């Protein structure tokens, strides 16, 4: 009888320990924000912006760790396998969460090994053309592609990436056939677009804007749900005749599965406070990204819809990874 009482007491003490540790978060030590891309890129810059502001709200240092490689899956895997104590956070992007699982076997399952916390922002792209391309609007592009199926080329930053899928989704809706040319980055893709070696490209607005201002390339349409403040005179694909079209790279905060709900909720509240700060929003909009925020459930539902949508695009386009 005494042994049974001692066992029950031990179990109750263990159950009470986890909420106690959750209540202490993040007092014990600095929090690590894993950015799964190299330093210096747009994702890294935004990760450091959000991390710095989170440190102010949480009252604890937030250290940015760059763990680049495999289209973001190396850093994401590191977080998925970390201790679920709230001290390792993923600055997660579209690829490892909603695209790569349809293309390759990952060492983690984003649907079960990660907990969605908050949707940070979306990064819309822009459909571009070389300066002397015959079409200057979505309507003209579709007409040209229907006249010359399989002859118009478009560049993306990689096979199976968000920009590639944006192009495949557009072709499906428009009923046209373009030729995809994958590059290893935006700089070489844009260099060939400026030089006229490629007809079209899908790329980030912030990188394309200086080339557009110099008249070296043309903007046909923005891929997001609304016009970009960086390109206010450029319509979206949706308002150009394809109302169901939207394509972007999403970024959110995720924690390892098993993280106490109290920590998830407090990180969500802190992140929403950061995103509501006028200076932060202005900085993000100036970089061509759209702050989002909201509940953890809303982010989880959005990820589910993106996962399913990209799965359909990959299947319908018979997309596969290749070197």
């Amino acid at each position: 009888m005494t042994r049974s009482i001692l066992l029950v007491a031990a179990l109750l003490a263990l159950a009470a320990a986890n909420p106690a540790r959750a209540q202490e978060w993040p007092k014990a030590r600095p929090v690590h924000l894993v950015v799964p891309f190299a330093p210096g890129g747009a994702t890294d810059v935004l990760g450091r912006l959000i991390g710095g502001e989170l440190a102010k709200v949480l009252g604890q240092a937030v250290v940015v760790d760059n763990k680049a490689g495999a289209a973001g899956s190396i850093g994401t895997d590191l977080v998925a396998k970390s201790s679920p104590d709230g001290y390792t956070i993923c600055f997660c992007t579209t690829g490892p969460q909603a695209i790569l699982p349809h293309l390759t076997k990952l060492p983690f399952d984003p649907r079960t090994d990660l907990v969605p916390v908050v949707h940070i922002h979306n990064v819309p792209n822009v459909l571009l053309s070389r300066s002397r391309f015959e079409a200057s609007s979505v309507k003209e592009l579709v007409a040209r592609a229907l006249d010359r199926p399989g002859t118009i080329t478009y560049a993306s930053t990689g096979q199976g990436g968000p920009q590639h899928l944006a192009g495949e989704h557009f072709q499906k809706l428009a009923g046209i056939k373009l030729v995809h040319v994958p590059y290893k980055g935006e700089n070489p893709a844009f260099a060939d677009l400026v030089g006229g070696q490629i007809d079209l490209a899908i790329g980030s607005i912030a990188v394309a804007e200086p080339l557009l201002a110099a008249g070296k390339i043309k903007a046909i349409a923005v891929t997001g749900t609304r016009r970009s403040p960086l390109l206010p005179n450029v319509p979206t694909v949706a308002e150009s005749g394809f109302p169901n079209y939207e394509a972007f790279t999403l970024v959110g905060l995720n924690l390892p599965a098993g993280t106490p709900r109290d920590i998830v909720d407090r990180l969500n509240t802190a992140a929403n406070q950061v995103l509501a700060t006028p200076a932060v929003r202005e900085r993000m909009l100036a970089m061509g990204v759209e702050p989002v925020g909201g509940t953890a459930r809303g982010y989880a539902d959005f990820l589910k819809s993106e996962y399913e949508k990209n799965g359909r695009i990959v299947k319908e386009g018979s997309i596969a990874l290749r070197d």
Side-chain angles (χ1 to χ4, degrees):
M1 182 71 175
T2 302
R3 182 176 298 175
S4 297
I5 293 173
L6 290 174
L7 178 59
V8 170
L11 291 173
L12 289 172
L14 182 61
N18 282 336
R21 284 196 292 270
Q23 289 297 325
E24 294 171 358
W25 181 86
K27 298 177 182 178
R29 59 184 185 275
V31 174
H32 287 257
L33 179 64
V34 176
V35 175
F37 293 93
T43 304
D44 176 60
V45 171
L46 287 160
R48 292 178 186 278
L49 171 64
I50 298 300
E53 295 299 319
L54 276 176
K56 298 176 185 177
V57 175
L58 295 172
Q60 177 61 277
V62 175
V63 180
V64 173
D65 292 334
N66 295 95
K67 301 294 181 182
S73 61
I74 290 177
T76 306
D77 180 50
L78 183 152
V79 175
K81 291 181 170 59
S82 295
S83 176
D85 54 15
Y87 288 95
T88 307
I89 306 170
C90 181
F91 201 63
C92 286
T93 60
T94 303
Q97 294 196 88
I99 297 177
L100 290 176
H102 300 292
L103 296 170
T104 187
K105 176 68 175 177
L106 295 173
F108 63 94
D109 187 335
R111 296 169 295 176
T112 57
D113 296 336
L114 292 166
V115 176
V117 177
V118 64
H119 190 168
I120 295 295
H121 65 260
N122 292 328
V123 186
N125 290 301
V126 58
L127 177 59
L128 304 158
S129 76
R130 53 185 171 84
S131 61
R132 296 187 178 181
F133 187 63
E134 299 89 342
S136 297
S137 68
V138 169
K139 182 178 179 179
E140 292 172 354
L141 168 59
V142 171
R144 179 68 60 176
L146 289 172
D147 286 340
R148 297 163 45 195
T151 62
I152 297 174
T153 54
Y154 84 94
S156 81
T157 53
Q159 186 81 5
Q163 295 169 343
H164 178 200
L165 265 66
E168 294 299 314
H169 187 35
F170 173 66
Q171 292 181 76
K172 179 69 175 180
L173 291 178
I176 60 175
K177 179 61 179 175
L178 306 175
V179 179
H180 177 234
V181 182
Y183 284 77
K184 293 185 177 181
E186 285 189 322
N187 287 338
F190 284 3
D192 279 359
L193 188 66
V194 171
Q197 284 83 24
I198 203 89
D199 295 313
L200 307 170
I202 297 175
S204 62
I205 296 172
V207 177
E209 198 276 333
L211 296 173
L212 291 166
K216 295 183 177 180
I217 56 177
K218 297 189 298 184
I220 293 178
V222 173
T223 67
T225 56
R226 61 181 65 89
R227 295 194 183 198
S228 169
L230 295 182
L231 302 172
N233 296 322
V234 179
T236 64
V237 174
E239 67 182 290
S240 301
F242 299 94
N244 295 323
Y245 183 90
E246 60 177 2
F248 42 75
T249 300
L250 69 88
V251 177
L253 299 185
N254 295 62
L255 289 165
T259 300
R261 193 72 225 176
D262 183 55
I263 292 177
V264 173
D265 291 342
R266 280 194 281 154
L267 179 56
N268 175 275
T269 298
N272 274 294
Q273 186 174 333
V274 167
L275 292 172
T277 305
V280 173
R281 294 185 66 84
E282 289 173 10
R283 177 88 181 276
M284 295 175 75
L285 290 169
M287 294 179 66
V289 306
E290 303 170 348
V292 181
T295 65
R297 170 52 57 190
Y299 178 38
D301 290 343
F302 185 73
L303 282 175
K304 183 175 183 292
S305 67
E306 285 296 292
Y307 186 95
E308 293 172 350
K309 181 186 79 174
N310 287 320
R312 290 192 298 271
I313 294 172
V314 167
K315 183 177 180 180
E316 292 170 356
S318 300
I319 300 170
L321 290 177
R322 69 168 183 263
D323 295 332

